Amino acid sequence: INRPEFTPEARTPNPKLLLRGYERAALTLNFIRGLIDGGFADLRHPELWNLDFVNHSSQSSDYRELMRALGESVTFMETMIGHRIGGGEEHKAFDYARQTIVMATIGAILMGLLVLAGSGFILTFYKLSPQAMADARIILRVIGLVMWIRVTNMVIIVGVLRAGGDTRFSMFLDAGTVW
């Protein structure tokens, strides 16, 4: 309800700023809900992650290739596990699921370590105030530390449970991770 500067005028409470903050928070939440409801965060269809700014980037083809590979990986995982379950080979499906979870977790841990180690380098691409730089470094460290949890959760929900036909429990897990 007051401004960030350390002056008496800026530190005087202003209810209009509280309302503006609430409005922006609500807009952000509605935007995120729209992205989720529109399939933006659906790992089964990464080609729908239409980020218009990527089209104008020199790395547009790399991004599209990455999205294609991600989509193929998820489809492959769903096919392998679902095919084994449908063929009455639950033990093989379980083995595939376990191997997939282990590989994804190891990959996410390595990516998290890369984010942790490279957080300073990543931030050199941005012109930030010293306080924003410190906050961004903390955020990147938190992302690096918890990445393996989120990736493992996505693999279990999208790749293993849905592939096995458990869409109801997957829906509840998906809804729970949003909130």
Side-chain angles (χ1 to χ4, degrees):
I1 60 171
N2 38 6
R3 299 195 181 277
E5 297 86 24
F6 293 105
T7 62
E9 298 82 26
R11 303 310 292 167
T12 303
N14 184 346
K16 290 181 183 178
L17 292 177
L18 180 64
L19 291 174
R20 189 182 322 161
Y22 175 78
E23 174 190 12
R24 290 181 180 171
L27 288 171
T28 302
L29 183 59
N30 287 336
F31 177 70
I32 292 170
R33 282 184 188 148
L35 289 176
I36 292 169
D37 291 344
F40 181 81
D42 190 352
L43 269 182
R44 290 173 295 159
H45 299 289
E47 71 278 2
L48 299 177
W49 299 354
N50 185 15
L51 302 176
D52 190 45
F53 68 88
V54 173
N55 293 333
H56 308 293
S57 170
S58 61
Q59 298 170 335
S60 175
S61 61
D62 294 338
Y63 172 78
R64 302 232 181 275
E65 178 61 25
L66 179 66
M67 291 302 101
R68 186 193 62 72
L70 179 62
E72 286 179 4
S73 299
V74 171
T75 300
F76 175 75
M77 185 172 44
E78 288 178 336
T79 302
M80 291 300 294
I81 294 171
H83 179 70
R84 294 296 174 207
I85 291 173
E89 300 176 282
E90 287 86 7
H91 64 283
K92 282 189 178 180
F94 181 78
D95 288 342
Y96 286 152
R98 187 182 67 239
Q99 290 171 3
T100 302
I101 291 169
V102 168
M103 288 188 304
T105 302
I106 290 170
I109 289 171
L110 293 174
M111 286 301 297
L113 292 173
L114 188 63
V115 169
L116 285 171
S119 63
F121 175 71
I122 292 168
L123 294 174
T124 62
F125 293 103
Y126 301 96
K127 184 179 179 182
L128 301 171
S129 70
Q131 182 61 46
M133 186 71 74
D135 292 344
R137 189 170 284 120
I138 291 169
I139 291 169
L140 283 175
R141 287 179 181 154
V142 169
I143 289 170
L145 290 172
V146 300
M147 184 178 290
W148 70 274
I149 297 169
R150 183 64 181 140
V151 169
T152 303
N153 189 37
M154 288 188 312
V155 168
I156 290 170
I157 293 171
V158 175
V160 176
L161 294 176
R162 284 187 188 154
D166 194 350
T167 56
R168 184 173 181 202
F169 186 67
S170 299
M171 178 193 68
F172 289 122
L173 282 177
D174 272 340
T177 59
V178 169
W179 300 107

